[in-house]
Amino acid sequence: MVAPLKVGIAGLGTVGAEVVRVIERQAATLTARCGRPIKVVAVTARSKAKKRGLDLRGIDWAKSPLAIATDPNVDCFVELIGGAGDPAGPAIEAALAAGKSVVTANKALIAKHGLKLAALAEKHGGALNYEAAVGAAIPVIKTLREGLAGTGIDRIYGILNGTCNYILTRMEQEGLSFEACLADAQRLGYAEADPTFDIDGHDTAQKLSILASLAFGTKVSESAVYVEGIRSITPEDLRAADDLGYRVKLLGVAVRTAKGIEQRVHPTMVPKTSSIAQVMGVTNAVTIDGQGIPPITLVGAGAGAAATASAVVADIADVARGIRAEPFGRPVAGLKAISKAPMERHEGGYYLRMLARDHAGTAATIATRLAEQDISIESIVQRQPDRGDGKAKSGPVPVILITYATSEDAVRRALKAVQADKVISGRPQVIRIEKN
Ligand code: HSE
């Protein structure tokens, strides 16, 4: 019998406990697929007394994550504690320095300290697998790192945050308020402990920085990502998008441009006919535009115990098989530095919504200011809202425009001029359009 892979797990929350269950339930399949058994030999968590419904007999309860990471009886250290600092970080460093392989679901740690950890893994020969950190059950890390190792990539974009997609879907389909949808996302356990991390786009930015590194060979850099969240999106925007043939999604986009790699996270209008527009609720999706091949879209559960455990166990299986890929798909020394691409340079179509003062010449003024910046209008809708009795309301009129491709700089200049003309009230809404 080939020796088992001996696994130590730090963190027995919903994901950690599910990983223990899956390894036990799938023992025969895993042994057959890996050619050797996978055995959990040590675990640790904050509370030993907590009821988890797990049979931990025969498994060592270690006094700390570090104790497991340095235990000579453990071959593979599985970190499921979370957080970019202590105790997860030092324990992973210790395990890698001891030549062990590490499996983690910790996107914050990989986004912030991935390079240092990858260098340690490279130096000491262990694997550093983190499939669950992005899109949970969706095997996107493996797809980029291994499946597309021979393919140049031009763009990768996706819905990487289930909480935001859940909120936007329910606002669109049920006309609910942002606050009500967020409260439900928290109740259902999709949102991070601090939900601002989800709704302000930072969770997506961390995941995007990891995908961009794998796709373009850049150093993982969260600070090189332009970030906008979904707080400004209103039911009016979702209705207008629907009327115009679009849906609004919070996308993470990393794209190769003539001026370098652009990484951005923002609410985005996508054509209703695109694959990504069909993705509803808490589901995640990633589309990869590879050179010479049609786009690949991966869709699946981006959060939850079963989805995350699925990816964690697959990563452990790779260690059991003796498969080791460089954590970011190439040696750390070959990764290129990247800085934030100025958003003013971004080029694409735009959705603009303004509340126009209701007097003659307003629409002409707006059109003139756009024309001065060479912005061509694809469609324009000016609709006085209904009073509720079939008659139009008086007062400001929403004007909604879709532009052809232009630059962000031109849009900002045009809107500044429109505001200075005092023909609109409040701030204009601006949503970028991403074509498939
Ligand atoms: N809060 C994250 C989400 C969980 O909503 O997608 C998975 O990273």
Side-chain angles (χ1 to χ4, degrees):
M1 171 94 149
V2 188
L5 177 82
K6 289 179 281 181
V7 171
I9 302 177
L12 288 177
T14 52
V15 175
E18 187 61 15
V19 168
V20 174
R21 276 185 216 107
V22 173
I23 290 176
E24 198 188 315
R25 197 167 63 231
Q26 294 289 85
T29 306
L30 285 166
T31 303
R33 287 180 178 164
C34 302
R36 63 193 288 207
I38 293 173
K39 197 166 163 359
V40 179
V41 296
V43 292
T44 190
R46 266 207 302 260
S47 158
K48 190 175 178 184
K50 187 175 161 188
K51 294 262 172 293
R52 300 180 171 89
L54 293 177
D55 181 1
L56 296 176
R57 280 174 299 178
I59 299 176
D60 180 37
W61 185 279
K63 68 176 193 311
S64 68
L66 202 59
I68 298 190
T70 51
D71 180 347
N73 190 41
V74 168
D75 305 316
C76 175
F77 176 60
V78 179
E79 182 275 312
L80 299 170
I81 307 160
D86 203 20
I92 289 183
E93 284 183 35
L96 291 172
K100 296 184 198 303
S101 288
V102 168
V103 171
T104 177
N106 193 330
K107 72 195 151 219
L109 189 70
I110 296 294
K112 289 188 192 302
H113 306 297
L115 288 179
K116 184 171 76 176
L117 299 177
L120 262 179
E122 211 174 296
K123 182 168 169 202
H124 298 280
L128 172 61
N129 294 344
Y130 53 87
E131 185 64 69
V134 182
I138 303 175
V140 62
I141 305 294
K142 210 172 182 50
T143 300
L144 287 168
R145 190 163 65 182
E146 292 154 60
L148 294 172
T151 304
I153 293 168
D154 287 330
R155 180 175 63 159
I156 177 159
Y157 62 100
I159 295 169
L160 301 173
N161 184 269
T163 300
C164 288
N165 206 48
Y166 173 86
I167 291 172
L168 292 171
T169 301
R170 291 201 65 203
M171 283 175 72
E172 180 196 321
Q173 293 185 337
E174 299 170 54
L176 296 173
S177 72
F178 174 85
E179 289 73 21
C181 299
L182 173 59
D184 278 354
Q186 286 180 284
R187 190 176 47 76
L188 292 164
Y190 305 147
E192 300 293 310
D194 174 4
T196 57
F197 199 69
D198 294 292
I199 59 185
D200 291 337
H202 302 296
D203 178 78
T204 303
Q206 287 190 338
K207 292 168 180 168
L208 182 72
S209 67
I210 295 170
L211 296 185
S213 173
L214 289 157
F216 300 114
T218 49
K219 291 185 177 170
V220 187
S221 172
E222 192 186 343
S223 61
V225 184
Y226 171 85
V227 188
E228 262 177 41
I230 62 167
R231 285 180 205 258
S232 71
I233 301 299
T234 65
E236 292 77 52
D237 294 318
L238 300 175
R239 269 197 300 277
D242 186 46
D243 286 349
L244 293 159
Y246 292 90
R247 282 209 174 100
V248 180
K249 300 288 183 189
L250 182 76
L251 288 195
V253 183
V255 59
R256 190 191 292 283
T257 74
K259 293 183 182 120
I261 306 295
E262 192 175 280
Q263 300 181 80
R264 50 191 163 84
V265 172
H266 49 72
T268 311
M269 306 262 280
V270 290
K272 261 198 250 179
T273 49
S274 61
S275 308
I276 214 100
Q278 317 310 317
V279 179
M280 297 301 200
V282 72
T283 305
N284 283 195
V286 184
T287 296
I288 304 163
D289 291 341
Q291 290 164 5
I293 53 171
I296 296 169
T297 298
L298 304 168
V299 182
T308 311
S310 161
V312 168
V313 175
D315 275 351
I316 298 171
D318 268 359
V319 176
R321 289 166 165 145
I323 295 172
R324 181 189 181 279
E326 293 302 348
F328 294 102
R330 64 185 75 193
V332 172
L335 295 167
K336 299 179 291 277
I338 185 167
S339 50
K340 194 188 273 185
M343 216 39 209
E344 300 76 32
R345 271 191 344 217
H346 169 69
E347 293 191 352
Y350 283 78
Y351 157 98
L352 310 173
R353 179 171 57 78
M354 293 167 250
L355 214 46
R357 302 223 163 120
D358 192 14
H359 49 70
T362 294
T365 305
I366 294 172
T368 303
R369 292 306 189 189
L370 291 171
E372 281 168 3
Q373 298 301 327
D374 225 7
I375 298 172
S376 181
I377 299 170
E378 185 183 301
S379 55
I380 178 164
V381 182
Q382 179 177 327
R383 192 180 298 145
Q384 187 58 271
D386 195 273
R387 249 184 0 188
D389 59 1
K391 298 205 177 105
K393 267 188 189 162
S394 57
V397 193
V399 174
I400 291 152
L401 289 142
I402 299 281
T403 76
Y404 284 108
T406 178
S407 73
E408 179 127 349
D409 192 32
V411 170
R412 289 185 189 180
R413 281 176 208 264
L415 293 179
K416 204 168 162 202
V418 169
Q419 284 186 289
D421 290 332
K422 301 201 180 334
V423 292
I424 61 169
S425 357
R427 279 167 60 91
Q429 171 68 296
V430 178
I431 305 179
R432 299 168 190 95
I433 297 173
E434 193 77 23
K435 295 279 186 195
N436 49 335

